[in-house]
Amino acid sequence: MKKPWSGRFKQSTDKLMEQFSASISFDRRLYAYDIQGSIAHCQMLAKCSIISQADSKKIIRGLKRILKEFELEQFKFDDRLEDIHMNIESRLTQLIGPVGGKLHTARSRNDQVCLDIRLYLRNEVEEVLQQINAFTKTLLILARKHTDTIVPGFTHMQQAQPVLLAHHLLAYVEMLVRDRERFQDVLKRINIMPLGSAALAGTAFPIDRKYTAKLLNFPELTHNSIDAVSDRDFAIEFCSNSAILMMHLSRFCEEIVLWSSSEFDWLELSDSYTTGSSIMPQKKNPDAAELIRGKSGRVYGNLLTLLTLMKSLPLAYNKDLQEDKEPIFDTVDTVKMSLTIFNGMIKSARFKKIPLHRVDISGFLTATDIADYLAKKGIPFRLAHEITGQTVAYCLEAKKTLHNITLKELKNISSNFSKDVFDHITLDNSVQSKNVYGGTAKKQVLVQIARLNKKLKIKPKPSGK
Ligand code: ARG
């Protein structure tokens, strides 16, 4: 098999070296983008009279035929041709003869591969954005259903203060909204057209880069040919955004694992997203959540792979850069799969009704509200905190909780207590009293649901239904 670069070589490539340097086993997934880019490049060459219209037509016909071969899974890959670019070009020449060799005028694989990755990522980011939207929508609908469900909120994984389940779920929506913004933002830096940079210096042919950009729907051109062929920032940024997204998903997954345990028993996952044990017949394992949590690791790894790949890399193109593809592809696959599975898992899950005594399993979930109660009566908050601490200590000693301590006992601790304290420390009152913007009171949670619905352009259900 003659290599497109074989001119200056006398000996053939070592067999193992051939395998070692080949990327065709993984970069084949870029075929459609490679052809799309080549068609645009060819049209531009003809428009600028660098090749004839007749040659251009022949080349484009050939490329379209090759695209069909890929789609029908008839394309024959050859490892000896190293990568997707040379596989396609070689097939083109096979199909239309030596004129196929004109396609690569004013182009190098160095700018070609950058273009392919940019086209690929641009498409995939759009899909990731859609999936984030779909998942966010599911969470918003779920939150709307639970604006009256009170759950314990935690700090240090200890019962802290009561909150609405809706409020807790909306915390994840906020994270996803930021994730969405990050992916929207990276699109600006992905969506830049590198062709015309050629190997590294630009090209001596009178090409029209703007025309190629227009054909491929790029709003901007790269401004420096050396940077253009060696830049992978946009891919690193994509992986970084993905790592942050997966970190968010992993936190949520961790909670889902906890919530579906018999200790918590808040959530019933559907059979379709859980698995059984081969030895313990009673088990229903939250595998989907565990796997997403686990897969965050490989996405972080991919980010680190890319950063390490680029570290200290001299300008301009170096073959190291071929190693960028697998981490990018793996990140795209993992993020998309995780979002899809997560959405399905949540859509099919059911939150159970949690009885109040289990919400306040510690018996002290509203202790902070006692301190607030005293402070509102004019006692300095630090002192109020101290008195409440003594109240808790008393309860622990007397084997009581805030639910069954009597007014007499309270008054023994501080004369500032009166009967209205009991209304003050109900779970519902505790929640509704957090009526600050961004707080957990139902009123505030509804404000945020409306804001998020608007932001995500979700039409709220007509009221009264
Ligand atoms: N397969 C190569 C890559 O993915 C394409 C660019 C090759 N360029 C070169 N000068 N060998 O990076």
Side-chain angles (χ1 to χ4, degrees):
M1 173 64 58
K2 194 165 141 33
K3 309 254 192 297
W5 39 257
S6 62
R8 60 100 69 212
F9 287 79
K10 292 205 177 75
Q11 286 156 352
S12 58
T13 323
D14 178 84
K15 279 277 150 282
L16 200 57
M17 171 57 194
E18 209 157 47
Q19 275 176 31
F20 185 61
S21 65
S23 54
I24 187 63
S25 65
F26 48 87
D27 68 13
R28 61 179 64 191
R29 79 154 84 180
L30 294 173
Y31 73 85
Y33 303 105
D34 199 72
I35 292 175
Q36 185 191 3
S38 286
I39 291 177
H41 179 66
C42 184
Q43 285 170 332
M44 182 280 293
L45 290 177
K47 176 189 171 265
C48 298
S49 309
I50 298 168
I51 63 172
S52 70
Q53 286 293 348
D55 285 351
S56 156
K57 284 208 175 100
K58 250 190 234 160
I59 293 172
I60 291 172
R61 224 176 297 131
L63 288 168
K64 286 188 174 158
R65 185 163 154 200
I66 296 172
L67 184 63
K68 278 232 171 69
E69 291 179 357
F70 277 111
E71 278 159 3
L72 299 171
E73 290 177 25
Q74 286 166 353
F75 188 89
K76 291 203 179 30
F77 293 97
D78 191 331
D79 276 1
R80 289 166 302 176
L81 287 167
E82 209 175 303
D83 57 24
I84 186 67
H85 324 295
M86 295 206 287
N87 266 269
I88 291 177
E89 198 186 313
S90 161
R91 176 70 183 137
L92 182 67
T93 318
Q94 233 177 49
L95 283 174
I96 66 170
V99 64
K102 293 196 177 186
L103 171 63
H104 213 51
T105 317
R107 189 176 72 169
S108 151
R109 275 186 296 151
N110 296 354
D111 56 351
Q112 185 179 359
V113 71
C114 290
L115 176 78
D116 292 6
I117 307 172
R118 285 173 182 277
L119 287 169
Y120 163 78
L121 267 184
R122 173 168 91 175
N123 211 26
E124 294 295 350
V125 168
E126 289 295 350
E127 280 191 30
V128 170
L129 283 171
Q130 276 175 23
Q131 289 187 338
I132 294 179
N133 276 358
F135 184 39
T136 314
K137 195 172 160 186
T138 302
L139 290 180
L140 269 173
I141 292 170
L142 190 63
R144 187 67 194 86
K145 262 201 213 156
H146 288 286
T147 48
D148 290 311
T149 309
I150 297 179
V151 293
F154 297 86
T155 63
H156 312 268
M157 210 49 222
Q158 310 277 326
Q159 288 222 321
Q161 291 185 300
V163 293
L164 292 183
L165 178 56
H167 195 51
H168 193 113
L169 294 170
L170 290 181
Y172 286 108
V173 175
E174 293 295 337
M175 296 176 219
L176 287 165
V177 165
R178 291 195 296 275
D179 289 324
R180 194 176 84 129
E181 282 169 10
R182 269 184 284 271
F183 281 109
Q184 274 164 344
D185 202 60
V186 70
L187 267 182
K188 283 188 239 156
R189 284 169 293 282
I190 292 175
N191 219 357
I192 304 177
M193 212 286 297
L195 279 191
S197 306
L200 79 161
T203 174
F205 289 94
I207 62 167
D208 182 347
R209 296 189 65 205
K210 280 194 181 147
Y211 185 68
T212 317
K214 200 173 129 212
L215 292 176
L216 292 170
N217 207 11
F218 280 103
E220 208 183 324
L221 303 177
T222 55
H223 305 284
N224 178 304
S225 59
I226 296 177
D227 176 47
V229 293
S230 52
D231 165 36
R232 297 291 183 278
D233 300 6
F234 62 92
I236 295 180
E237 213 180 322
F238 169 77
C239 287
S240 162
N241 296 348
S242 301
I244 298 175
L245 167 70
M246 290 302 292
M247 176 273 290
H248 288 152
L249 298 189
S250 81
R251 298 182 73 176
F252 200 175
C253 283
E254 170 67 15
E255 300 209 300
I256 284 167
V257 170
L258 288 172
W259 294 348
S260 60
S261 69
S262 24
E263 281 72 12
F264 268 82
D265 200 27
W266 290 11
L267 184 68
E268 169 91 37
L269 292 172
S270 104
D271 288 357
S272 350
Y273 288 89
T274 44
T275 60
S277 154
S278 50
I279 176 165
M280 298 163 284
Q282 84 284 13
K283 293 292 289 288
K284 183 168 167 186
N285 298 326
D287 283 30
E290 293 168 275
L291 267 175
I292 296 169
R293 186 178 63 184
K295 279 178 191 291
S296 60
R298 64 197 292 156
V299 175
Y300 296 1
N302 292 336
L303 171 62
L304 220 57
T305 301
L306 284 189
L307 285 170
T308 312
L309 187 67
M310 299 296 290
K311 180 185 175 294
S312 317
L313 207 63
L315 296 175
Y317 179 86
N318 298 271
K319 185 76 170 193
D320 314 43
L321 289 175
Q322 181 165 285
E323 288 286 305
D324 64 351
K325 283 162 211 66
E326 286 163 294
I328 297 176
F329 295 157
D330 185 65
T331 301
V332 166
D333 293 344
T334 308
V335 162
K336 278 168 49 180
M337 189 61 120
S338 300
L339 283 167
T340 308
I341 294 286
F342 212 143
N343 197 10
M345 173 173 70
I346 291 289
K347 268 188 167 162
S348 59
R350 186 179 62 83
F351 275 92
K352 299 181 179 175
K353 212 165 167 50
I354 316 169
L356 286 187
H357 71 273
R358 281 197 34 238
V359 173
D360 188 7
I361 213 161
S362 66
F364 298 107
L365 203 54
T366 54
T368 315
D369 298 289
I370 294 193
D372 288 352
Y373 164 86
L374 293 170
K376 279 184 190 161
K377 294 205 158 183
I379 298 172
F381 184 76
R382 279 290 153 238
L383 182 58
H385 186 283
E386 175 71 24
I387 296 171
T388 311
Q390 286 163 5
T391 310
V392 172
Y394 169 83
C395 284
L396 289 174
E397 195 133 301
K399 301 229 173 323
K400 292 209 152 189
T401 67
L402 297 183
H403 299 290
N404 55 14
I405 190 167
T406 63
L407 184 60
K408 201 166 149 241
E409 288 167 309
L410 282 173
K411 276 186 180 293
N412 276 342
I413 299 165
S414 165
S415 58
N416 287 290
F417 283 117
S418 49
K419 202 165 171 265
D420 60 347
V421 65
F422 294 113
D423 297 330
H424 210 84
I425 60 171
T426 63
L427 293 178
D428 191 55
N429 191 71
S430 169
V431 166
Q432 306 314 343
S433 68
K434 308 301 181 313
N435 194 17
V436 60
Y437 183 86
T440 195
K442 180 171 178 180
K443 225 168 137 188
Q444 295 299 334
V445 168
L446 290 175
V447 166
Q448 295 310 323
I449 291 179
R451 181 189 128 258
L452 290 162
N453 275 336
K454 205 165 145 207
K455 199 173 173 84
L456 296 160
K457 299 195 175 68
I458 298 170
K459 281 203 194 89
K461 281 208 182 114
S463 56
K465 251 196 84 187

